[in-house]
Structure formats: structure tokens, C-alpha cells
């Protein structure tokens, strides 16, 4: 693409960074990667914190702008460069899109999967909390049933016929849950399997998780 602004993605190796690589590939945008990893100290450098004072990956530099927060990156890029990835502002479809994105990022990513990460893999840093781990697994299980019902009744995607950024976010959380051996309803395993055949997903996954075989999501 000749006219696109220079784009640089900072970060690889987590489901959050996968979202940035995946959306750019869905949009057919070319970009460079700065392959910094989480908890390597690389997010603490002055250069990186000038882009994201929160010291978190992913960051997408686009021209002289720095986009941060993986769900916001998906929506912003989809809106600017896509056709169907994000429904138009103020539409009913956009309200549903926002609902599914925020639900995925709060109820699945932050409240359950990241709790498992903090008190499971990263317990040395954040402390052992077996009750919190168990509660997070249970909470994920019943919350995710709502998405399974939606796909079963009105699928094949969260917004019906069209794949959107909300599906991208949900799929990354399903990858994460499956990597943690959290039970995922059959309808969502099939949904994730269909979406994982998208070329943009496969290419982004391989780029983001060079040490893993596609399908073995990690956080
Ligand atoms: N809500 C943020 C979370 C970003 C986040 O927590 N990133 C982690 C890696 S998954 C990170 O950069 N941690 C700091 C570090 O590793 O130094 C998003 O979705 O972008």
C-alpha cells in the first residue's frame, strides 16, 4: 500500500499483542515490528514509556501517533482502514459491537483470564490465591456461555453474518482459555476453529508466537 502511514507494532508473544498483529493483517496494512516481550524490562525503557507511559505492550505507532490498549487498537484501526471490521458509529450494530468488546475485555480478559495469570503463572509476583483462581475459572465458564448462546442462535459471528473486531477479541480470549485448560463450550470451540482458518489469524499467530504451533494460544 503506497499511501498508508508508517506503522510500527511494539510487542510480541502475548494474546494482547496478537490482537494488534492480527487486526493489521486483516486490514492488509504493512508494518514493522519491534519484538519486545513482556516482563523483559524492555517496556520500562524511556523510549518506550514516551510512547506508552503505562509501560504495556502492545503499542501501535502510526505516523506520529501512539495507539495503546489492544481493544482500542483493534477498533481504531478497523474504523480508519477497514470496511466491515467495525460497524459505523451510532448504529445499532455498533452498540452491539461495543457491548461485546467491552464484555470480552472486562469479564473475560481482565476479571478472569488475567486473574488466572496473575495468581497462577505469575504467583511469585502477585501471590498465591487458590480461591481467586477457582472463582475465576467458574466465572469464566458461566459468562462465556452467553457468547456460546449468541453464536448458536444468531451466528456464525457475534454480530451475525459479518466477522468483526469483537470476534477478533473473543477469539484471542478463547485461545488464552484453551491454553489454560479452562473448559470452553463446544459451540465456541467450533467458532474459534472456524475463525482460526482466516489467513490473517494464522500469519499473525506465527509472527506473534514464533515458538508455538498455531492454536496453542498463550498470554
Ligand atoms: N489492557 C492492556 C493490557 C496490556 C498488558 O498488560 N500487557 C502486558 C503483556 S500482555 C505488559 O505489557 N506487561 C508489562 C511488561 O511486561 O513489562 C491491553 O489490552 O493492551
Amino acid at each position: 500500500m503506497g499511501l498508508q502511514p508508517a506503522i510500527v507494532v511494539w510487542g510480541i508473544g502475548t494474546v494482547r499483542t496478537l490482537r494488534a498483529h492480527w487486526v493489521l493483517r486483516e486490514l492488509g496494512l504493512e508494518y514493522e515490528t519491534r519484538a519486545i516481550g513482556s516482563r523483559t524490562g524492555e517496556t520500562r525503557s524511556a523510549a518506550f514509556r514516551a510512547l506508552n507511559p503505562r509501560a504495556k505492550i502492545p503499542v501501535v505507532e502510526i505516523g506520529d501517533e501512539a495507539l495503546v490498549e489492544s481493544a482500542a487498537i483493534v477498533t481504531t484501526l478497523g474504523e480508519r482502514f477497514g470496511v466491515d471490521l467495525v460497524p459505523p458509529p451510532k448504529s445499532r450494530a455498533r452498540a452491539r459491537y461495543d457491548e461485546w468488546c467491552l464484555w470480552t475485555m472486562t469479564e473475560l480478559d481482565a476479571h478472569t483470564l488475567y486473574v488466572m495469570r496473575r495468581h497462577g503463572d505469575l504467583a511469585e509476583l502477585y501471590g498465591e490465591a487458590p480461591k481467586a483462581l477457582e472463582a475465576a475459572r467458574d466465572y469464566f465458564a458461566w459468562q462465556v456461555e452467553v457468547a456460546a448462546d449468541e453464536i448458536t442462535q444468531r451466528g456464525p459471528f457475534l454480530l451475525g453474518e459479518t466477522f468483526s473486531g469483537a470476534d477478533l477479541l473473543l477469539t484471542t480470549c478463547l485461545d488464552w482459555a484453551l491454553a489454560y485448560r479452562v473448559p470452553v463450550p463446544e459451540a465456541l470451540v467450533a467458532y474459534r476453529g472456524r475463525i482460526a482458518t482466516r489467513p490473517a489469524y494464522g500469519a499473525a499467530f506465527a509472527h506473534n508466537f514464533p515458538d508455538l504451533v498455531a492454536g496453542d494460544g498463550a498470554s
Side-chain angles (χ1 to χ4, degrees):
M1 253 194 215
L3 292 177
Q4 76 164 71
I7 298 177
V8 178
V9 176
W10 292 74
I12 63 164
T14 83
V15 294
R16 275 80 172 258
T17 59
L18 174 62
R19 294 168 186 154
H21 294 286
W22 184 4
V23 72
L24 285 162
R25 285 161 196 264
E26 286 288 345
L27 295 165
L29 295 169
E30 289 170 13
Y31 64 96
E32 288 178 20
T33 300
R34 304 278 182 269
I36 66 172
S38 64
R39 292 177 321 287
T40 56
E42 293 163 307
T43 57
R44 303 280 163 165
S45 74
F48 185 76
R49 293 190 78 153
L51 292 172
N52 184 4
R54 300 179 187 103
K56 297 275 188 177
I57 50 175
V59 170
V60 174
E61 263 188 289
I62 173 160
D64 62 0
E65 194 178 10
L67 304 179
V68 304
E69 282 297 325
S70 57
I73 288 168
V74 168
T75 298
T76 301
L77 293 176
E79 209 158 40
R80 285 193 197 170
F81 298 102
V83 180
D84 293 329
L85 219 49
V86 180
K90 301 183 186 174
S91 63
R92 288 178 73 124
R94 179 56 173 270
R96 297 290 284 163
Y97 171 90
D98 289 344
E99 172 194 327
W100 282 114
C101 289
L102 289 167
W103 173 81
T104 300
M105 292 303 292
T106 54
E107 306 306 326
L108 302 188
D109 180 311
H111 291 180
T112 56
L113 294 164
Y114 197 56
V115 167
M116 290 181 227
R117 178 144 182 81
R118 282 195 168 217
H119 300 296
D121 301 346
L122 304 180
E124 273 187 26
L125 287 177
Y126 296 106
E128 302 276 351
K131 279 200 172 161
L133 273 179
E134 196 186 323
R137 279 176 79 87
D138 292 349
Y139 188 71
F140 181 94
W142 83 260
Q143 281 289 300
V144 86
E145 283 292 348
V146 180
D149 289 348
E150 184 72 18
I151 298 301
T152 304
Q153 288 166 31
R154 284 175 286 275
F157 300 111
L158 285 171
L159 300 185
E161 291 301 318
T162 309
F163 174 83
S164 76
D167 297 296
L168 186 157
L169 296 177
L170 177 57
T171 300
T172 59
C173 285
L174 297 176
D175 280 351
W176 193 351
L178 290 166
Y180 277 7
R181 307 279 186 262
V182 177
V184 172
E186 195 45 53
L188 290 181
V189 173
Y191 158 88
R192 195 215 77 89
R194 286 194 302 277
I195 290 175
T197 64
R198 297 176 75 84
Y201 172 87
F205 194 101
H207 182 69
N208 186 66
F209 294 121
D211 300 332
L212 291 180
V213 176
D216 291 347
S219 59

